[in-house]
Amino acid sequence: MRIRVLTLAAAGGAALLTAGVLPAHAAPGPTTPKSAQEGSVGAADLLAKVTSCQQISSGKYKTDDGTSATVPVCGKNGAVFWKADMDIDCDGQRTTNCNETRDPWFQNDTAFHQSDGRPLKAESLPFVVVPGTSTIWNYTSSGIKGGGVVAVVYNNRVEYAVVGDTGPSTIIGEASYATAKALGIDPDPATGGADSGVTYILFKNSQASPIESHSAAVTLGEQLAKQFLQSN
C-alpha cells in the first residue's frame, strides 16, 4: 500500500455542468450498497469497451509512492477511465471502521460534501478518489466533478460509486471503504486494498443528487453504462 499524503487536495472550482443530473427527488437518501453486481450491465461488457487507451492525460500516474508512473488516464465517448490498484480511503465522517484508531492516515474531511455540508461517510458511501489537479491531468477539464458517477469493475463485479474525494496529484487508484467492501476487496484502511485489476470508468458531465445517495448513483449509473456501451 502507498504512503498516503496527509494534505487533502482542494476540490476543483470549475462551474458544475448540468448534463446527466439525476433530480434529488429521485433519490430518497443515503443507502448502503447491498450487492457488488449492481444493475444489468455486466462487467465483461464494460471491460470489452476499455481494452485500448486513447491517452488524454499529459503524463502517467503512480499507483503507490515509490513506484514508477505507469497509469494513463484514457478517453472514450462519454467517459474517461483508468486501470490501477485500489487503496482505501477512510476519510470523512468518523465511524466505527473509519477513524484515527483504524486508519493511521485518517482525515476528518473530504473534498466534496453531502447536501447538508458535512463530509462524506467512507464506511457506507461508495466513492472514488481522483488525483488532484496538476500538469498531468485536470479532471474538471474532462467533465468530471464531485458527485460524478463511476462504474468500478473488479473480479467480474460492477459497483457504482461517485467522485467523492481528491488525492495526491501524482498517484491514482483509490476508493472508499464501502466501495472496496462491496467488491469483495479487503476494506481495512491500513492493510487492505487490491494490488491491481481495478478498472474505473468515470462518466462525463454526470452527477448523482444528492451525492450521499447511493441509490441515486446506481440509478443514473445504470443509464449511463448502457449509453456507454451503445456509443463505444
Side-chain angles (χ1 to χ4, degrees):
M1 305 303 292
R2 81 166 89 117
I3 300 172
R4 289 175 55 189
V5 176
L6 293 181
T7 302
L8 182 69
L16 295 182
L17 302 175
T18 59
V21 175
L22 187 69
H25 61 72
T31 55
T32 300
K34 296 180 180 180
S35 171
Q37 180 56 55
E38 296 182 319
S40 60
V41 179
D45 293 328
L46 289 172
L47 293 178
K49 300 297 185 178
V50 294
T51 56
S52 61
C53 176
Q54 180 179 349
Q55 183 170 331
I56 62 170
S57 55
S58 298
K60 296 181 180 181
Y61 288 94
K62 303 175 182 179
T63 57
D64 295 281
D65 264 351
T67 63
S68 300
T70 60
V71 180
V73 176
C74 311
K76 298 291 285 189
N77 290 330
V80 302
F81 74 92
W82 56 82
K83 300 180 180 183
D85 63 346
M86 183 184 288
D87 293 325
I88 308 302
D89 187 335
C90 228
D91 296 337
Q93 295 185 43
R94 290 179 178 86
T95 58
T96 301
N97 289 299
C98 289
N99 53 60
E100 294 88 342
T101 301
R102 296 294 303 274
D103 182 0
W105 308 280
F106 177 78
Q107 301 173 68
N108 63 355
D109 200 5
T110 50
F112 306 106
H113 292 165
Q114 296 181 164
S115 54
D116 62 3
R118 301 177 69 192
L120 301 180
K121 190 177 293 185
E123 184 170 347
S124 59
L125 180 69
F127 67 77
V128 165
V129 180
V130 295
T133 298
S134 71
T135 56
I136 301 175
W137 182 54
N138 179 350
Y139 62 90
T140 62
S141 67
S142 296
I144 306 303
K145 59 186 175 180
V149 179
V150 187
V152 187
V153 184
Y154 176 77
N155 197 23
N156 203 35
R157 300 178 181 181
V158 178
E159 174 70 10
Y160 291 108
V162 293
V163 175
D165 206 356
T166 57
S169 61
T170 60
I171 294 176
I172 206 165
E174 187 173 6
S176 68
Y177 183 106
T179 310
K181 185 176 180 180
L183 288 168
I185 296 171
D186 181 358
D188 188 286
T191 61
D195 290 335
S196 63
V198 185
T199 300
Y200 303 82
I201 303 173
L202 290 73
F203 299 111
K204 296 178 180 179
N205 305 324
S206 65
Q207 188 174 39
S209 180
I211 188 174
E212 67 270 19
S213 172
H214 182 58
S215 61
V218 174
T219 299
L220 184 54
E222 172 88 351
Q223 298 170 9
L224 295 172
K226 291 178 179 178
Q227 293 174 17
F228 179 74
L229 295 183
Q230 293 172 356
S231 60
N232 288 280

